[in-house]
Amino acid sequence: MLSWDIAVNRAINNAVPKVYKVLSEHPYVEELAKRLREAKLEVLNNLEKYVEETLQSVKNNGGNAYYVHDEKEAQEIVGKIVGKGKIVVMGKSMVAYELGIRKYLESLGNEVWETDLGEFLIQQANEPPSHIIAPAIHMTKESVGKLLKEKLGGVDENSKVEDMVAVVRKFLRDKFVKADVGITGANAIAADTGSVLLVENEGNIRFTTVAPQIHIAIAGVEKILPTLADAMIEPLVQSAYAGLYPPTYVNLTSGPSSTADIEHNRVRPAHGPKEFHLILVDNGRVKANKDSVLREALLCIRCGRCHFHCPIYRAIGNIWGDPPYSGPMGAMWSYIVKGDAKPAMYCVHSGNCKEVCPMRINIPRVLEHIKNLGLHSQTKM
């Protein structure tokens, strides 16, 4: 049996029953998912308005906000903020990966560390992510032990998982303390307050957003929601449908650190970051929103549930899609951000992804549409 088969079967056996258990024990989650879909559609129907509102709200909080069209613009802005010769810690961010941020900062002479355990492992292995929330899902416990033995020492393939985690924890603690800049993504962004919501279990994002003096959040425009009340829903729904409910941490950031302990006069900064930067990314999203079928993909909350119910993903894994996007949702997003229709061609339309999607995205229909767009494009060549 191949390593991929072993690893993904272990993950599926762990994750799939947990989601059903969560939905059974917390039935209100399904209602929250319906509300979240409606809130997301409101933004997509008025995208330009909500982008402008979000940018202004961040500035009102003492932060800096930017709108970028593509990878090059994003890299230029991040490069100017970070500079050279810095220590940078990164929370898990698929958009940062999409834009090549880590490699770009490294090319400028910065020391850049992924701090999510899965992202750290694939960084050390120099491999692409294989799942949207579990990037090292293709690695077995044994292969992780061998990798850590080579890179950090202290454990091997026979070690317990807890001991492997402890070794990485000790190594990264030093990086958190010394970091100059922290870079994260965003699970949701509230247009009315400019607040960024991040859900996690490890605590690395909490360190990344608070310990360094500069925090940069990078997110696609589809992560915007009308209000903070709406935005608070997304971390709950995402974690539930990932089978990790309740989440260990939900982080909310509204500008640089602040205090109002003297005469209740709020001033910035305080103990946390002196600077907060939000970078809103287009990179194909605005164009997709103008397509009545393709825009459904923008509703995706990155829970990764569709992967585990898809026969194609289970068979071939992370070679399906353009990193960091894999699986059924990745086939949609490979087209949106890369213009690559080939991943959609793998879809056999079993329909499982549609049945389990919390946002009720008709993924087979979207992928069929992408297939037609791809064939039409080839015909024109």
Side-chain angles (χ1 to χ4, degrees), residues 22-152:
V22 167
L23 297 180
S24 174
E25 294 178 351
H26 308 281
Y28 59 84
V29 169
E30 294 187 66
E31 183 58 38
L32 289 178
K34 293 177 183 177
R35 287 170 52 188
L36 181 59
R37 176 184 167 90
E38 293 305 312
K40 282 181 166 292
L41 285 172
E42 163 62 23
V43 171
L44 295 182
N45 290 335
N46 302 278
L47 187 57
E48 185 175 350
K49 167 198 167 188
Y50 282 108
V51 167
E52 290 300 322
E53 183 179 353
T54 302
L55 295 174
Q56 187 58 51
S57 294
V58 172
K59 294 172 184 177
N60 292 343
N61 287 333
N64 301 279
Y66 318 83
Y67 175 82
V68 299
H69 294 91
D70 53 30
E71 178 180 305
K72 182 179 179 182
E73 288 184 11
Q75 290 180 355
E76 287 178 353
I77 289 175
V78 174
K80 288 178 182 178
I81 297 170
V82 175
K84 300 179 180 180
K86 303 293 178 57
I87 297 177
V88 181
V89 288
M90 299 186 67
K92 185 193 300 176
S93 172
M94 294 301 101
V95 178
Y97 191 107
E98 169 193 324
L99 300 169
I101 298 299
R102 173 162 60 84
K103 291 185 177 180
Y104 177 71
L105 290 177
E106 289 173 338
S107 74
L108 296 179
N110 294 291
E111 179 184 332
V112 187
W113 296 98
E114 297 283 358
T115 64
D116 171 80
L117 178 58
E119 292 286 349
F120 176 80
L121 292 174
I122 62 172
Q123 180 185 14
Q124 298 309 301
N126 194 29
E127 295 176 354
S130 51
H131 187 271
I132 200 69
I133 66 165
I137 201 172
H138 60 288
M139 293 182 173
T140 62
K141 178 180 80 71
E142 293 78 12
S143 63
V144 170
K146 289 180 181 179
L147 176 67
L148 293 179
K149 178 183 179 180
E150 175 188 344
K151 298 293 183 177
L152 302 181

Side-chain angles (χ1 to χ4, degrees), residues 113-371:
W113 296 98
E114 297 283 358
T115 64
D116 171 80
L117 178 58
E119 292 286 349
F120 176 80
L121 292 174
I122 62 172
Q123 180 185 14
Q124 298 309 301
N126 194 29
E127 295 176 354
S130 51
H131 187 271
I132 200 69
I133 66 165
I137 201 172
H138 60 288
M139 293 182 173
T140 62
K141 178 180 80 71
E142 293 78 12
S143 63
V144 170
K146 289 180 181 179
L147 176 67
L148 293 179
K149 178 183 179 180
E150 175 188 344
K151 298 293 183 177
L152 302 181
V155 292
D156 59 29
E157 60 269 28
N158 298 314
S159 299
K160 295 189 297 183
V161 172
E162 292 86 349
D163 294 333
M164 297 179 191
V165 174
V167 166
V168 177
R169 171 190 171 97
K170 181 179 179 181
F171 177 81
L172 287 178
R173 281 285 170 126
D174 179 65
K175 306 304 177 185
F176 285 125
V177 172
K178 295 178 180 178
D180 301 293
V181 181
I183 299 177
T184 68
N187 290 100
I189 305 166
D192 65 334
T193 63
S195 304
V196 169
L197 274 295
L198 288 155
V199 62
E200 61 161 332
N201 294 296
E202 296 180 21
N204 64 300
I205 290 177
R206 186 155 290 193
F207 269 119
T208 301
T209 59
V210 174
Q213 290 298 288
I214 299 173
H215 173 203
I216 305 171
I218 308 173
V221 293
E222 81 282 2
K223 289 298 180 181
I224 299 172
L225 286 157
T227 69
L228 182 55
D230 297 319
M232 291 292 290
I233 297 174
E234 183 147 349
L236 302 180
V237 175
Q238 195 266 4
S239 60
Y241 281 87
L244 298 169
Y245 194 84
T248 307
Y249 303 104
V250 175
N251 304 289
L252 189 154
T253 298
S254 302
S257 60
S258 67
T259 180
D261 281 358
I262 300 176
E263 297 183 348
H264 210 68
N265 178 30
R266 192 175 198 176
V267 297
R268 304 175 188 269
H271 301 297
K274 294 180 179 180
E275 298 178 23
F276 172 73
H277 302 265
L278 174 64
I279 301 174
L280 290 177
V281 180
D282 172 8
N283 205 33
R285 291 160 172 82
V286 172
K287 180 180 178 181
N289 192 42
K290 295 175 182 177
D291 184 311
S292 61
V293 178
L294 195 57
R295 74 195 301 252
E296 263 203 85
L298 301 176
L299 298 172
C300 177
I301 62 171
R302 311 288 203 267
C303 68
R305 195 182 185 201
C306 59
H307 294 63
F308 293 147
H309 291 266
C310 174
I312 301 302
Y313 177 77
R314 294 174 70 156
I316 65 176
N318 62 338
I319 66 170
W320 184 23
D322 296 309
Y325 303 118
S326 62
M329 61 77 60
M332 297 190 296
W333 278 87
S334 294
Y335 185 78
I336 290 173
V337 303
K338 301 288 186 181
D340 185 2
K342 291 191 294 294
M345 302 299 176
Y346 284 84
C347 178
V348 296
H349 299 278
S350 71
N352 295 350
C353 52
K354 174 186 175 184
E355 297 302 318
V356 300
C357 177
M359 292 294 97
R360 294 180 291 155
I361 301 170
N362 191 338
I363 299 176
R365 178 170 175 256
V366 175
L367 294 183
E368 182 179 20
H369 181 60
I370 292 173
K371 288 179 182 181

